Amino acid sequence: MTNYLPLIFGISSLLLGIYLFLVFFGIYKPKTSEETEEKSENMKLMMKVISLILKGGYNVLNLDSDTYRINSKKAETKWSETAKDSLNKYCLIGMREQPKENSKINFDYCNCTSEKIMKTYTQIEYEKIIKKPIDEQFKVFSELVKDCKAELQKKIDSVETANK
């Protein structure tokens, strides 16, 4: 099921920010507004307006379905750059048996699998999984990367067809 909360919050923040921006600069003057605020208050309001516009725009452009998920048990942790690189390198090492003409395809496949793993698991969860036996790791990751495998096979088939 698609989570629409990030889109709803993003659009509402964006619209509120635009409204406050228009009121602040006098482009739109509501009937109930009075011009009795000091410049320092105006500056504080301006900073809030800009932050609302930027936050709303960011939320609309970068939809993340887990941002406002209710009862989410996934901890918000970032993958370190070295861990991301290691994940890709580990995958590419496993792909070394493939022909060299497929190196770009292999690289795309490894990027796909790495992205899926990083979106699904935290770095700590991943490290716990890879300490398990290979057959258990296969069970965990096979369903996760099945779309990446299908795309890899399509690309390999198209290269083989082109070479015939």
Side-chain angles (χ1 to χ4, degrees), residues 85-117:
D85 292 341
S86 296
L87 192 58
N88 268 341
K89 287 177 187 175
Y90 182 70
C91 175
L92 287 169
I93 289 170
M95 301 291 287
R96 68 178 165 219
E97 296 172 5
Q98 300 289 327
K100 282 204 172 198
E101 59 267 7
N102 292 346
S103 61
K104 170 74 170 100
I105 296 170
N106 295 342
F107 185 77
D108 291 343
Y109 170 76
C110 288
N111 278 337
C112 178
T113 59
S114 297
E115 286 178 20
K116 291 210 182 252
I117 289 170

Side-chain angles (χ1 to χ4, degrees), residues 74-157:
K74 183 178 175 187
E76 183 66 33
T77 59
K78 301 283 183 197
W79 281 70
S80 69
E81 287 301 316
T82 54
K84 289 178 187 180
D85 292 341
S86 296
L87 192 58
N88 268 341
K89 287 177 187 175
Y90 182 70
C91 175
L92 287 169
I93 289 170
M95 301 291 287
R96 68 178 165 219
E97 296 172 5
Q98 300 289 327
K100 282 204 172 198
E101 59 267 7
N102 292 346
S103 61
K104 170 74 170 100
I105 296 170
N106 295 342
F107 185 77
D108 291 343
Y109 170 76
C110 288
N111 278 337
C112 178
T113 59
S114 297
E115 286 178 20
K116 291 210 182 252
I117 289 170
M118 289 185 295
K119 284 183 180 180
T120 306
Y121 299 105
T122 64
Q123 187 173 342
I124 296 166
E125 291 170 333
Y126 174 75
E127 289 170 358
K128 286 179 184 175
I129 292 170
I130 61 171
K131 290 179 182 174
K132 295 179 179 180
I134 296 292
D135 58 330
E136 288 183 41
Q137 290 180 39
F138 181 76
K139 288 177 187 174
V140 171
F141 295 126
S142 63
E143 185 65 28
L144 182 66
V145 300
K146 114 178 130 172
D147 295 337
C148 298
K149 282 184 180 181
E151 188 65 28
L152 171 72
Q153 193 58 51
K154 283 182 195 174
K155 289 180 179 179
I156 289 174
D157 290 344

Side-chain angles (χ1 to χ4, degrees), residues 24-35:
F24 179 78
F25 282 109
I27 298 169
Y28 172 73
K29 293 184 181 183
K31 294 177 183 176
T32 59
S33 103
E34 295 179 20
E35 298 178 349

